Amino acid sequence: LNPWDVMLCVSGTAIACENALVVAIICYSPTLRTPMFVLVGSLATADLLAGLGLILNFVFQYVIRSETVSLLTVGFLVASFAASVSSLLAITVDRYLSLYNALTYYSERTVLCIHTMLAGAWGISLCLGLLPVLGWNCLHDRATCSVVRPLTKSNVTLLSASFFLIFLIMLHLYIEICKIVCRHAHQIALQQHFLTASHYVATKKGVSTLAIILGTFGASWLPFAIYCVVGDPDYPSVYTYATLLPATYNSMINPIIYAYRNQEIRRSMWVLFCGCFQAKVSFRSRSPSDV
């Protein structure tokens, strides 16, 4: 057994378990039907499928050796991870809208916008996943192979370019969110004639959280995306594994950042596991703009 494949399988198992719990909580709780939780559910579903894909890839690689199965598994993984990254972009757009259009955010137009974004994200992800299955692979022409077999160089270049575009959009939106947060803090300071320590701490915490979110996303995916562009299929496969494994960790961290930190989800988790909720425990409902 290749130890890298084992680590990917273990990573996939952890990803699947974490995100299956999030999906179960959102489906179980009728109160978690707001656009924010729909987006979190989309992200958890995509990461859950990615985790299952890693497990299936390990099983089929060592149990069922078939080119067709290999293509299907790779296509499944591409579609799942693409949907995960696209859902992260949708969450970023939602956070920006919740601050930029705070007065009109809770409207039917926002719900329609969220559903449209998700439909587009999953549709594009499905198309990207189908490309290897429909013939964009290097099974019959080894010279066109990329560092991720059986994907072609042009295929991984397209995927990497799409990631870089999404990363830049997220970076721009998070910068705009930071500006809005700082502007709000400044307006509060003008109204109260000074910026209180609590407001300063809250603003600093919000900006730091945004930096952590974007930094985690970039640190997870950037090495693999860059290597897909500059790498050569003749390079040792350890380079591919060493950059791919951290990319899977993003799907492991997503539930912690976007789900388990939310008090509504923690309350629903308490109800799901304990069958009861202690009324004396106070929970504050977080808004989509909370970071």
Side-chain angles (χ1 to χ4, degrees):
L1 291 178
N2 187 333
W4 288 100
D5 289 329
V6 175
M7 285 189 288
L8 284 175
C9 183
V10 172
S11 177
T13 303
I15 291 170
C17 293
E18 278 186 294
N19 288 281
L21 178 59
V22 176
V23 173
I25 291 171
I26 293 178
C27 293
Y28 171 82
S29 307
T31 58
L32 304 181
R33 296 293 183 270
T34 62
M36 177 182 65
F37 291 114
V38 171
L39 292 170
V40 173
S42 171
L43 176 62
T45 302
D47 287 334
L48 169 61
L49 295 176
L52 294 176
L54 290 172
I55 298 173
L56 292 175
N57 182 65
F58 178 82
V59 172
F60 291 143
Q61 187 173 355
Y62 289 96
V63 178
I64 305 175
R65 294 180 178 273
S66 168
E67 291 185 350
T68 302
V69 173
S70 175
L71 284 176
L72 290 174
T73 305
V74 170
F76 185 80
L77 283 171
V78 169
S80 300
F81 280 119
S84 174
V85 173
S86 300
S87 296
L88 287 174
L89 175 61
I91 290 176
T92 305
V93 173
D94 176 67
R95 285 181 165 176
Y96 173 75
L97 292 177
S98 68
L99 289 170
Y100 185 77
N101 296 322
L103 297 178
T104 59
Y105 176 79
Y106 294 97
S107 64
E108 294 183 0
R109 183 178 179 181
T110 300
V111 175
L112 178 61
C113 177
I114 296 300
H115 289 167
T116 302
M117 279 197 304
L118 288 181
W122 280 91
I124 294 174
S125 300
L126 180 60
C127 291
L128 292 175
L130 286 175
L131 289 179
V133 181
L134 297 178
W136 205 355
N137 59 71
C138 63
L139 292 179
H140 304 293
D141 188 4
R142 298 292 180 180
T144 62
C145 279
S146 67
V147 294
V148 184
R149 295 181 178 86
L151 299 181
T152 63
K153 295 178 182 178
S154 55
N155 194 344
V156 297
T157 300
L158 172 64
L159 294 174
S160 298
S162 301
F163 167 79
F164 292 137
L165 177 61
I166 290 176
F167 181 77
L168 290 176
I169 294 174
M170 290 179 62
L171 177 61
H172 172 72
L173 289 176
Y174 274 129
I175 291 175
E176 292 299 317
I177 290 174
C178 289
K179 290 180 180 179
I180 294 174
V181 171
C182 293
R183 191 184 309 128
H184 287 176
H186 180 67
Q187 291 173 349
I188 293 174
L190 290 178
Q191 292 174 359
Q192 299 182 353
H193 304 292
F194 64 93
L195 184 62
T196 63
S198 60
H199 290 145
Y200 173 78
V201 171
T203 303
K204 183 178 179 181
K205 181 181 178 181
V207 174
S208 299
T209 303
L210 291 176
I212 292 173
I213 291 174
L214 190 63
T216 301
F217 175 64
S220 299
W221 277 104
L222 276 176
F224 180 66
I226 294 174
Y227 182 68
C228 284
V229 176
V230 303
D232 189 273
D234 293 330
Y235 291 169
S237 60
V238 65
Y239 296 158
T240 301
Y241 283 113
T243 53
L244 176 60
L245 189 62
T248 65
Y249 292 159
N250 187 67
S251 295
M252 197 182 302
I253 298 172
N254 283 339
I256 300 174
I257 295 178
Y258 296 97
Y260 297 135
R261 289 177 63 248
N262 187 282
Q263 295 188 8
E264 294 284 349
I265 289 183
R266 291 207 300 270
R267 177 171 61 184
S268 298
M269 188 188 306
W270 182 276
V271 174
L272 181 64
F273 284 118
C274 300
C276 61
F277 177 70
Q278 296 177 354
K280 64 180 181 180
V281 180
S282 175
F283 287 90
R284 181 180 67 87
S285 177
R286 295 170 64 91
S287 67
S289 59
D290 285 342
V291 293

